Amino acid sequence: STLPAVAEELLREIKKAFQESSHVPDDLLLGLKFIFGPSAVPALDLVDQRSVTRVVAPSGRTLYQVLGSSGKLYTCYSSCHFCTCPAFGFSVLQKSESLLCKHILAVYLSQAMGACQELSVSEEQLSNILLAEEEDEG
């Protein structure tokens, strides 16, 4: 994983706390805001709205789709910390101002809180999702 150890540990703590009490304590929320900055609160909003869908093909290949606050669907790859949103390209890749965009953070938080929607698709459907993303960017 390419997240800093402190971020990984915080996500583990959030998962543990959520499993024990079904909520995230204030100290961990503050940690989230400290480490992930302005992405933290919007990411939590996306989790609350159940905007994260885990898309799985029979081969086990997995990607996540996050319905952004603008109503646009973004594809996220948690394995390599990548999102198709403009904010990721600008503030994460170009300027290195953030570790993640709110969509990828929402993926991690929804995994920790068991709040992902699940969608099983065929290999062909998964390929179509991936190809549609390329066409959007091209």
Side-chain angles (χ1 to χ4, degrees):
S1 173
T2 57
L3 275 181
V6 67
E8 292 277 353
E9 181 60 27
L10 178 63
L11 290 167
R12 273 193 296 275
E13 290 290 321
I14 288 172
K15 181 175 185 169
K16 183 175 173 230
F18 198 81
Q19 285 172 339
E20 290 170 1
S21 66
S22 294
H23 87 283
V24 180
D26 289 350
D27 62 326
L28 294 180
L29 290 175
L30 285 171
L32 202 61
K33 196 156 172 37
F34 180 76
I35 291 173
F36 295 105
S39 299
V41 173
L44 286 165
D45 286 342
L46 290 171
V47 174
D48 284 345
Q49 294 162 17
R50 300 200 46 94
S51 299
V52 178
T53 302
R54 182 174 180 256
V55 181
V56 186
S59 64
R61 291 192 306 166
T62 302
L63 58 83
Y64 292 85
Q65 289 190 314
V66 180
L67 185 60
S69 49
S70 65
K72 184 161 172 24
L73 199 60
Y74 297 107
T75 301
C76 298
Y77 307 92
S78 61
S79 58
C80 60
H81 310 290
F82 182 81
C83 180
T84 57
C85 77
F88 183 85
F90 186 70
S91 64
V92 178
L93 295 179
Q94 282 182 340
K95 298 189 91 184
S96 298
E97 291 174 343
S98 306
L99 285 173
L100 306 169
C101 66
K102 66 182 179 184
H103 308 109
I104 296 178
L105 184 52
V107 167
Y108 288 127
L109 291 170
S110 63
Q111 286 173 331
M113 298 176 192
C116 278
Q117 313 270 14
E118 291 283 330
L119 178 64
S120 295
V121 298
S122 68
E123 297 296 332
E124 185 179 356
Q125 287 169 312
L126 188 73
S127 294
N128 288 340
I129 291 169
L130 297 172
L131 290 172
E133 290 299 336
E134 281 182 16
E135 288 169 15
D136 287 350
E137 291 164 14

